[in-house]
Amino acid sequence: MNPHFEIQNPAVRRGPFRAVLFDFDGTLSLIREGWPRVMVSTLLEHLHKAAVFREPESDEWKTIDRLVMAQNGAPTIRQMEVFAEEVQQRGGTPANPWEYLNDYLTRLMRDVENRWRALEDRTARQEDWVVPHAHAILANLKKRNLPIIMASGTDRDHVIYEAQLLGVADYFPNRINAPRNNDPDFSKAQVIRDLLGELGIRGEELLGFGDGIVETTEVKRVGGVAVGVASSEPGSPPGTVHPEKRMRLLAAGADIMIPDYAHQAELIRWLWHES
């Protein structure tokens, strides 16, 4: 066992790898930190309006949180579609999922735009709003001349802008994949299939980093190696593992678990079978 990262799969394949896939929010960027809280509270309000609760009040948050996090990594509209299906299954009349989405984004973007401004006028540092040492692991992988690909469920224009604000966009030249206008047909599974076909590589030669269920599941589905990034919120002590995120990533099949990239050099050497 390594003291700096959890090896969950003792039989995990160690590289070399020929491509690396990163999720964005929670895996590299912390600009949207707090989004689950905003989404769950928004959807709880809509569930109350529909008057279709079946569980005790003390369990309401857990119910909606499970629904939301099961789709973490998919286009945001997909979470709203699943919520609408839940309302209907409970005997209620759901609103259009786009109505839920617009309400959620209106609330979320109040905080996000404040963070944009702080990064724009440099009252905040790029390092303040990335998972610790994210720049270091990207630079390390770039030195290995690997194609590095991003796949995010957040709207593409926002992902590109936020990647630029954080100084990570240049690591993904023409390789930022995300839904345009919250397109519900976007999928990380398709991004991965296209990547393997374009590069002519096998699934086992793909290394993935993510903090969500979707990207972890899809990397494992093709036989790749999935590193779960159980990143904590800003203000937590360095190296703190987010316990709920860790459990979800384990259930999704993550091979290795890390809290951040503080020990990325050691991790990459281990993954490449160099140590």
Side-chain angles (χ1 to χ4, degrees):
M1 296 298 291
N2 189 290
H4 302 308
F5 44 90
E6 281 187 72
I7 303 168
Q8 292 297 326
N9 176 9
V12 63
R13 177 186 180 275
R14 296 169 70 181
F17 298 92
R18 296 180 61 190
V20 184
L21 179 81
F22 279 89
D23 173 49
F24 186 58
D25 294 305
T27 301
L28 294 172
S29 171
L30 296 176
I31 288 178
R32 293 178 182 244
E33 177 274 320
W35 72 263
R37 181 179 62 254
V38 176
M39 185 179 289
V40 172
S41 63
T42 301
L43 296 183
L44 274 174
E45 287 186 24
H46 285 284
L47 206 58
H48 278 288
K49 288 178 185 177
V52 289
F53 266 105
R54 296 186 298 219
E55 52 274 285
E57 185 175 347
S58 59
D59 292 336
E60 293 175 354
W61 186 279
K62 291 179 182 178
T63 298
I64 302 305
D65 183 68
R66 281 195 296 267
L67 182 151
V68 164
M69 299 314 296
Q71 301 296 324
N72 184 18
T76 312
I77 186 60
R78 180 59 188 149
Q79 289 162 312
M80 305 303 150
E81 290 173 340
V82 169
F83 175 72
E85 292 165 5
E86 178 72 13
V87 172
Q88 190 164 33
Q89 288 171 5
R90 289 168 178 248
T93 302
N96 187 302
W98 290 94
E99 181 179 325
Y100 298 139
L101 178 65
N102 289 334
D103 188 10
Y104 159 67
L105 289 177
T106 297
R107 303 181 194 207
L108 177 68
M109 293 308 293
R110 293 170 190 155
D111 288 335
V112 169
E113 289 176 359
N114 286 335
R115 294 164 187 172
W116 286 357
R117 285 191 288 272
L119 286 161
E120 289 164 350
D121 63 22
R122 299 187 179 181
T123 56
R125 303 174 307 155
Q126 293 174 334
E127 292 78 7
D128 295 334
W129 289 105
V130 296
V131 173
H133 305 278
H135 296 99
I137 192 169
L138 293 172
N140 189 347
L141 292 168
K142 183 178 180 180
K143 288 179 183 177
R144 292 174 177 265
N145 296 314
L146 286 165
I148 311 173
I149 297 89
M150 184 193 298
S152 172
T154 300
D155 183 75
R156 188 172 188 272
D157 288 345
H158 284 181
V159 173
I160 291 173
Y161 181 58
E162 292 172 18
Q164 291 169 340
L165 284 176
L166 294 173
V168 301
D170 289 347
Y171 292 104
F172 303 92
N174 303 313
R175 291 191 179 276
I176 294 179
N177 301 274
R180 296 179 185 271
N181 300 315
N182 294 295
D183 178 7
D185 292 328
F186 172 88
S187 77
K188 292 181 178 177
Q190 187 62 54
V191 170
I192 291 172
R193 286 194 295 270
D194 291 346
L195 171 66
L196 298 181
E198 174 194 342
L199 298 178
I201 65 175
R202 303 186 305 277
E204 67 185 39
E205 297 175 301
L206 176 66
L207 174 64
F209 290 84
D211 78 318
I213 290 173
V214 172
E215 61 269 11
T216 303
T217 300
E218 296 304 335
V219 167
K220 293 302 299 175
R221 193 187 307 278
V222 299
V225 172
V227 179
V229 185
S231 54
S232 262
E233 298 181 354
S236 299
T240 301
V241 170
H242 192 293
E244 290 84 7
K245 193 179 288 188
R246 176 181 177 274
M247 293 306 296
R248 288 193 294 268
L249 290 166
L250 288 178
D255 297 295
I256 299 166
M257 197 70 59
I258 59 173
D260 54 39
Y261 304 108
H263 300 280
Q264 59 82 26
E266 184 178 355
L267 173 63
I268 295 302
R269 286 196 299 271
W270 188 89
L271 283 165
W272 260 255
H273 225 304
E274 296 169 355
S275 65

